[in-house]
């Protein structure tokens, strides 16, 4: 291949994403499946975002962060699925070197931002349940903006460092990535440079930028559980738990699938299951979030009913 420039000398100008195999019948089925999932993901998250903005009863910190999560999931899905759909439809699996790095950069940044945003949402639920008398004074508008902005900024800042170091690696072949998108580990395996330093940098940044939000999320729910168990009435416990159950499910799915990918041993089973678990946290989690919040949240369901009543009432009656 021709030489190109990316940081230091680069011999590979494009990668080939192996995806899910070469079976043409499977490609058609996967295209229809992922296309349906993408449309439902976009519609569900846009619906949540519009509902949070339009309904004044949802103008609270909890739903402000939920709106940010929906916006993040829209970007997250759009980073992975359009390229995958194009590959399944046309059969063209090649992706330019620079575009592969760009996809990984935005994917990693948004995943990091989601870690922080989920921890912010858990902290919000901790204050609402464990310190209800101070909640309004603590979670004021400016502080909510700072928390949301900090979550987005932290994700992009952490992975900007990673991408700078990765851009200094040399890729001289082979150029086949055994994945359906440009991810860190499959790309690093193709580097002709000594990747040990890059692995240490990535591990350090992952520890610094993911352990704190995970620890905050875990600690928040420990205190929430303790506070709920202290409530004397079963109805009170049920009502308190219902305010954070949706978020707890989302956190469990997100961190659960990530843990399965990175904690499985480096064996054949891991290689076989890596793509499957990757589908869960890159494709299915953004789809599940609006479903979980809309089906399990009383206030969202009530806002939806009001929106539908207004929509029906606004339709002009046709004369007989």
């Amino acid at each position: 291949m021709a030489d190109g420039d990316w940081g230091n000398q680069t011999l590979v100008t494009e990668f080939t994403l192996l995806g899910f195999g070469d079976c043409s019948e499977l490609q058609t089925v996967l295209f229809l499946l992922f296309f349906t999932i993408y449309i439902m993901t976009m519609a569900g998250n846009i619906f949540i975002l519009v509902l949070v903005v339009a309904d004044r009863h949802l103008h609270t910190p909890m739903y402000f962060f939920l709106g940010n999560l929906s916006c993040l999931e829209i970007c997250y899905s759009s980073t992975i699925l359009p390229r995958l759909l194009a590959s399944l439809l046309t059969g063209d699996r090649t992706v330019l070197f620079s575009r592969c790095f760009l996809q990984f950069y935005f994917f990693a940044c948004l995943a990091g931002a989601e870690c922080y945003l989920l921890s912010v949402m858990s902290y919000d639920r901790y204050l609402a349940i464990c310190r209800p008398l101070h909640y309004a004074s603590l979670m004021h508008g400016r502080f909510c903006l700072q928390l949301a902005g900090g979550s987005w900024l932290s994700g992009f800042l952490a992975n900007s460092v990673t991408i700078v170091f990765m851009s200094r690696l040399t890729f001289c072949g082979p150029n086949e990535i055994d994945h359906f998108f440009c991810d860190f580990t499959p790309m690093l395996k193709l580097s002709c440079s000594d990747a040990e330093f890059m692995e240490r940098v990535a591990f350090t940044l992952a520890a610094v930028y993911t352990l704190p939000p995970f620890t905050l999320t875990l600690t928040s729910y420990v205190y929430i559980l303790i506070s709920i168990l202290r409530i004397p009435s079963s109805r009170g416990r049920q009502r308190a738990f219902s305010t954070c159950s949706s978020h707890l499910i989302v956190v469990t799915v997100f961190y659960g699938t990530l843990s399965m990918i990175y904690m499985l041993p480096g064996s054949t089973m891991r290689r076989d299951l890596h793509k499957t678990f990757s589908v869960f946290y890159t494709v299915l989690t953004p789809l599940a979030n609006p479903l979980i919040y809309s089906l399990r949240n009383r206030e969202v369901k009530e806002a939806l009913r009001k929106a539908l009543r207004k929509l029906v009432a606004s339709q002009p009656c046709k004369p007989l």
Side-chain angles (χ1 to χ4, degrees):
M1 292 185 182
D3 290 347
D5 290 324
W6 181 283
N8 288 344
Q9 186 183 20
T10 301
L11 303 178
V12 171
T13 60
E14 63 183 21
F15 291 114
T16 300
L17 296 171
L18 298 183
F20 298 96
D22 298 317
C23 179
S24 58
E25 292 81 5
L26 181 62
Q27 305 301 307
T28 303
V29 173
L30 289 175
F31 173 80
L32 294 175
L33 175 63
F34 286 126
F35 180 75
T36 303
I37 290 175
Y38 184 55
I39 294 299
M40 292 177 63
T41 299
M42 297 297 287
N45 283 288
I46 290 174
F47 158 73
I48 293 290
L49 190 58
V50 170
L51 205 62
V52 168
V53 172
D55 194 309
R56 61 182 181 85
H57 294 97
L58 300 182
H59 291 178
T60 63
M62 174 181 173
Y63 294 104
F64 170 72
F65 296 130
L66 176 58
N68 272 268
L69 181 63
S70 293
C71 183
L72 189 148
E73 300 291 23
I74 291 170
C75 300
Y76 196 62
S77 296
S78 298
T79 301
I80 303 294
L81 282 176
R83 180 65 190 84
L84 174 60
L85 291 172
S87 174
L88 292 172
L89 183 63
T90 64
D92 182 12
R93 301 179 181 181
T94 60
V95 55
L96 291 177
F97 183 85
S98 57
R99 292 183 180 179
C100 194
F101 265 72
L102 199 62
Q103 184 188 54
F104 165 69
Y105 172 68
F106 282 107
F107 157 74
C109 289
L110 292 168
E114 183 162 358
C115 288
Y116 276 88
L117 190 57
L118 289 176
S119 69
V120 166
M121 295 174 74
S122 66
Y123 178 67
D124 170 72
R125 291 300 82 205
Y126 158 75
L127 291 179
I129 294 174
C130 301
R131 303 185 64 183
L133 298 180
H134 301 90
Y135 179 73
S137 61
L138 292 173
M139 296 299 290
H140 52 81
R142 183 179 177 182
F143 187 51
C144 291
L145 285 172
Q146 290 173 341
L147 289 175
S151 298
W152 286 84
L153 183 62
S154 296
F156 278 83
L157 180 62
N159 290 287
S160 295
V161 178
T162 302
I163 206 70
V164 167
F165 280 102
M166 284 190 68
S167 68
R168 298 171 182 265
L169 299 176
T170 300
F171 295 85
C172 53
N175 68 333
E176 293 183 341
I177 298 177
D178 189 14
H179 213 336
F180 61 90
F181 70 98
C182 299
D183 200 2
F184 175 78
T185 302
M187 289 176 65
L188 201 61
K189 289 180 180 179
L190 301 182
S191 173
C192 302
S193 306
D194 183 8
E196 184 179 352
F197 174 73
M198 185 65 242
E199 290 176 344
R200 289 201 299 266
V201 170
F203 178 81
T204 303
L205 289 173
V208 170
Y209 282 95
T210 60
L211 284 180
F214 175 75
T215 303
L216 177 59
T217 301
L218 185 63
T219 304
S220 296
Y221 274 104
V222 168
Y223 279 103
I224 287 172
L225 182 60
I226 293 173
S227 296
I228 291 176
L229 293 177
R230 288 175 178 173
I231 298 176
S233 66
S234 59
R235 184 176 180 180
R237 288 194 298 270
Q238 183 179 2
R239 183 177 179 182
F241 185 73
S242 67
T243 64
C244 61
S245 59
S246 299
H247 180 252
L248 183 58
I249 293 172
V250 170
V251 169
T252 303
V253 171
F254 181 76
Y255 280 110
T257 52
L258 282 178
S259 300
M260 287 180 181
I261 288 176
Y262 296 109
M263 292 181 66
L264 282 174
S267 61
T268 303
M269 183 177 70
R270 172 173 177 172
R271 290 195 298 270
D272 293 340
L273 293 178
H274 186 85
K275 294 178 188 177
T276 304
F277 287 125
S278 295
V279 168
F280 273 93
Y281 81 89
T282 60
V283 177
L284 297 182
T285 300
L287 171 66
N289 287 353
L291 294 176
I292 292 170
Y293 279 105
S294 60
L295 294 178
R296 295 186 59 85
N297 194 290
R298 179 177 55 83
E299 292 174 312
V300 172
K301 289 190 286 187
E302 180 60 29
L304 175 60
R305 282 192 290 265
K306 288 166 58 179
L308 291 176
R309 284 197 296 267
K310 288 182 180 179
L311 182 62
V312 172
S314 64
Q315 298 296 321
C317 296
K318 295 183 179 180
L320 298 176

